[in-house]
């Protein structure tokens, strides 16, 4: 078993380090500190598996951190980003439990698949979170209702197309495609369930109302690139100039409109006072 082999490899490493450090042993001084392994390749598999386990966990943690950062930049709201990250973490944990239920061992294929599922799990949460942000209502219930009406059918349609495309990979003879298709089917079903039920219920319970927990990221970058816009000014870009001019609104309001001058139209008789005959 893997656990016994890994324990044997660790005992071998400890014995070899003690052997190098023992001054009574005839060990060449020039070889001290080098990674010498005298097992004829027997323990290489266990070294590889130990590395895969640590790299898989670190890859999952890194992917979740990047997904949380992307969600924060996309939604510009701390509460929505945390709720979506919690949903994705639940999907990843359930996928690992699904692999354990099928009797899979953590190898190269499994470590690659476990890192890839985060990209599949984040899809539906992003669409629903964006729809929640687009609603101009104040209450959580109205915003969740708008979110489900606006994006619910699109999420369900996308899930069914992905399930239909991965279904045919179940009958392949290559082991990677078979495991990958099983993982996709589980991830898509769990993503559909958690995004429409768990994520929606979480937003209805603790979701932001109005502008609560908003982060003005877009306005920050806009001010960083174009500079802050002063209040009470209207910016206009002339057609024949690249410079931006600003006209105060107060000055526009205080300016009096010009009175239209009366212009005599040829061929018309001027108005005469009452009781006076027109001059010939």
């Amino acid at each position: 078993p893997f656990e016994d082999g890994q324990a044997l490899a660790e005992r071998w490493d400890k014995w070899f380090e003690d052997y190098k450090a023992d001054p009574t042993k005839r060990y060449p001084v020039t070889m001290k500190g080098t990674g010498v392994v005298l097992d004829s390749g027997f323990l290489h598999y266990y070294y590889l598996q130990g590395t895969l386990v640590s790299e898989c966990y670190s890859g999952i943690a890194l992917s979740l951190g990047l997904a949380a950062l992307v969600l924060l930049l996309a939604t510009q709201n701390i509460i929505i980003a945390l709720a979506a990250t919690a949903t994705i973490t639940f999907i990843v944990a359930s996928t690992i439990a699904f692999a354990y239920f099928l009797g899979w061992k953590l190898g190269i294929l499994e470590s690659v698949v476990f890192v890839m599922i985060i990209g599949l799990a984040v899809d539906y949460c992003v669409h629903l979170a964006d729809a929640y942000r687009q609603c101009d209502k104040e209450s959580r219930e109205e915003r969740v209702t708008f979110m489900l009406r606006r994006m619910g059918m699109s999420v369900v349609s996308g899930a069914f197309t992905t399930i239909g495309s991965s279904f045919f990979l179940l009958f392949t003879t290559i082991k990677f495609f078979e495991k990958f298709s099983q993982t996709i089917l589980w991830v898509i079903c769990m993503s559909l369930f958690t995004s429409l039920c768990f994520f929606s219920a979480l937003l209805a319970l603790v979701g932001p109302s109005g502008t609560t927990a908003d982060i003005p990221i877009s306005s920050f970058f806009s001010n960083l690139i174009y500079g802050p816009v002063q209040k009470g000014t209207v910016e206009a870009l002339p057609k024949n100039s690249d410079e931006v001019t600003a006209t105060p609104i107060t000055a526009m309001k205080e300016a009096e409109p010009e009175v239209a001058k009366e212009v005599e139209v040829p061929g018309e008789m001027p108005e005469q006072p009452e009781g006076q005959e027109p001059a010939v």
Side-chain angles (χ1 to χ4, degrees), residues 158-232:
F160 275 104
T161 55
T162 307
I163 291 173
S165 61
S166 60
F167 174 75
F168 296 98
L169 291 176
L170 294 173
F171 308 101
T172 56
T173 57
I174 301 177
K175 200 64 177 179
F176 174 77
F177 290 149
E178 181 183 356
K179 288 187 174 182
F180 188 62
S181 62
Q182 294 175 359
T183 307
I184 288 179
L185 289 174
W186 176 262
V187 170
I188 294 302
C189 292
M190 288 301 300
S191 298
L192 184 63
F193 172 75
T194 53
S195 60
L196 294 180
C197 298
F198 176 75
F199 183 64
S200 302
L202 192 60
L203 288 181
L205 184 63
V206 296
S209 300
T211 58
T212 305
D214 281 354
I215 301 177
I217 299 178
S218 58
S219 60
F220 171 76
F221 284 105
S222 178
N223 295 337
L224 185 64
I225 297 174
Y226 302 105
V229 179
Q230 298 180 359
K231 295 182 178 181

Side-chain angles (χ1 to χ4, degrees), residues 236-249:
L237 186 63
K239 295 182 179 180
N240 299 327
S241 176
D242 295 333
E243 299 180 356
V244 177
T245 59
T247 304
I249 295 178

Side-chain angles (χ1 to χ4, degrees), residues 76-273:
Q76 300 184 20
N77 189 278
I78 299 177
I79 298 177
I80 299 177
L82 291 177
T85 305
T87 305
I88 296 169
T89 305
F90 175 76
I91 297 172
V92 174
S94 65
T95 305
I96 296 176
F98 172 74
Y100 179 79
F101 176 76
L102 293 180
W104 295 356
K105 302 297 181 180
L106 185 59
I108 298 177
L109 300 181
E110 291 79 10
S111 60
V112 172
V113 169
F114 288 158
V115 176
M116 294 175 59
I117 60 177
I118 300 176
L120 298 173
V122 75
D123 190 17
Y124 302 146
C125 291
V126 169
H127 292 302
L128 293 176
D130 182 67
Y132 186 90
R133 286 281 294 165
Q134 290 180 0
C135 182
D136 55 354
K137 304 294 183 181
E138 291 292 332
S139 65
R140 301 186 185 97
E141 292 77 10
E142 291 177 341
R143 300 183 79 171
V144 170
T145 303
F146 175 84
M147 175 187 72
L148 295 176
R149 289 179 177 177
R150 179 73 176 272
M151 199 58 62
M153 186 56 66
S154 300
V155 168
V156 173
S157 300
F160 275 104
T161 55
T162 307
I163 291 173
S165 61
S166 60
F167 174 75
F168 296 98
L169 291 176
L170 294 173
F171 308 101
T172 56
T173 57
I174 301 177
K175 200 64 177 179
F176 174 77
F177 290 149
E178 181 183 356
K179 288 187 174 182
F180 188 62
S181 62
Q182 294 175 359
T183 307
I184 288 179
L185 289 174
W186 176 262
V187 170
I188 294 302
C189 292
M190 288 301 300
S191 298
L192 184 63
F193 172 75
T194 53
S195 60
L196 294 180
C197 298
F198 176 75
F199 183 64
S200 302
L202 192 60
L203 288 181
L205 184 63
V206 296
S209 300
T211 58
T212 305
D214 281 354
I215 301 177
I217 299 178
S218 58
S219 60
F220 171 76
F221 284 105
S222 178
N223 295 337
L224 185 64
I225 297 174
Y226 302 105
V229 179
Q230 298 180 359
K231 295 182 178 181
T233 61
V234 177
E235 294 187 355
L237 186 63
K239 295 182 179 180
N240 299 327
S241 176
D242 295 333
E243 299 180 356
V244 177
T245 59
T247 304
I249 295 178
T250 55
M252 296 173 60
K253 293 181 177 179
E254 294 177 357
E256 297 181 356
E258 297 182 357
V259 180
K261 298 181 180 180
E262 296 182 358
V263 181
E264 295 183 0
V265 181
E268 294 185 0
M269 297 295 295
E271 296 182 358
Q272 298 293 333

